[in-house]
Amino acid sequence: DLPRVNSFHLGADLSNSAPSLGMPRTADRTLKLLRSRPSFLSVSTLEPRKGHAQTLSAFELLWAQGEDVNLVFIGKKGWMMDDLVQKMQQSPEFGKRLFWLDSISDEYLTHIYEACTCLIFASEGEGFGLPLIEAASHQLPILARDLPVFQEVAGKHATYFTGLEPQALALAVRAWRTQKAQKMAPDSAHMPTLTWAQSAQQLRDVLGLNA
């Protein structure tokens, strides 16, 4: 017989998950810069499938076109990302409108979410997409790649884009900004989310541990 496949959703209430604490000395300056102009946030380990290369190239196009926006990468360096990290660190925008925070506390991440304007989730493949839930918990709008799992998690509460070229994402960001200015962009505030306790209960249900 074929194995039975099932799933459960993840939670995102950091206050009930023993969050890590601590703010670096540079936090105040960074947060001030993020609040000074529209800031687009990407939260995930730097890996090839996560879409960081497309995202960075898209924002290089936007900056060249005169768009005054920030791009923030949060996540540790993964495999096969040396070229991207070098490109980031050598960018004239690094530390000005381009930021990479490779290892930060949950406390600092919470402040980053609150300072940013929109979550960009450009991953080309995910099993769930926890940053969608985290963004919604901070009422942060979402611009995500049009993947079935992201549609399942975020539904009508996110804006979706397609295409793997930098131009595709640059156009999506500009279109989202226009929608936002016209107050027509989807709002994540009412996106259904779970606490970690509810997530654990779903897992118990899937495993049949409640009998």
Side-chain angles (χ1 to χ4, degrees):
D1 292 340
L2 293 175
R4 184 168 65 92
V5 177
N6 212 324
S7 66
F8 66 100
H9 281 208
L10 301 180
D13 53 328
L14 284 175
S15 61
N16 291 315
S17 59
S20 57
L21 303 175
M23 301 284 284
R25 288 175 294 177
T26 57
D28 286 343
R29 176 184 179 275
T30 299
L31 291 170
K32 184 177 179 180
L33 287 170
L34 297 187
R35 296 187 187 104
S36 69
R37 60 178 64 91
S39 295
F40 291 79
L41 173 65
S42 171
V43 182
S44 67
T45 302
L46 273 61
E47 303 177 5
R49 70 182 172 92
K50 296 287 189 176
H52 294 93
Q54 180 191 14
T55 304
L56 178 56
S57 294
F59 275 77
E60 288 176 332
L61 289 174
L62 292 168
W63 292 323
Q65 294 165 359
E67 296 283 338
D68 190 19
V69 293
N70 290 325
L71 174 60
V72 191
F73 288 134
I74 306 289
K76 295 182 180 179
K77 177 185 168 187
W79 60 295
M80 296 178 61
M81 298 303 285
D82 290 346
D83 289 347
L84 181 74
V85 169
Q86 183 178 32
K87 182 180 180 181
M88 277 197 294
Q89 294 176 335
Q90 292 179 350
S91 169
E93 297 292 348
F94 193 65
K96 299 175 182 176
R97 294 190 292 188
L98 172 62
F99 305 88
W100 174 39
L101 306 177
D102 64 346
S103 183
I104 66 174
S105 68
D106 293 325
E107 179 185 12
Y108 192 12
L109 179 58
T110 294
H111 286 290
I112 295 287
Y113 270 115
E114 292 170 349
C116 286
T117 310
C118 180
L119 175 79
I120 287 188
F121 208 174
S123 180
E124 298 169 24
E126 289 290 332
F128 183 74
L130 187 58
L132 299 174
I133 303 296
E134 292 178 343
S137 71
H138 293 287
Q139 301 184 20
L140 187 68
I142 296 165
L143 176 60
R145 191 179 300 281
D146 192 2
L147 300 182
V149 68
F150 292 167
Q151 291 274 4
E152 177 186 338
V153 173
K156 65 181 181 180
H157 304 282
T159 302
Y160 299 94
F161 73 93
T162 59
L164 297 172
E165 295 299 320
Q167 294 87 345
L169 181 51
L171 285 172
V173 170
R174 296 191 71 158
W176 181 88
R177 292 194 69 195
T178 298
Q179 284 187 314
K180 180 69 173 175
Q182 297 172 348
K183 298 184 179 180
M184 295 175 61
D187 185 351
S188 71
H190 300 293
M191 193 174 105
T193 61
L194 297 180
T195 65
W196 280 113
Q198 291 169 323
S199 175
Q201 185 59 52
Q202 277 198 354
L203 177 58
R204 289 177 62 87
D205 292 342
V206 167
L207 296 177
L209 298 179
N210 296 308

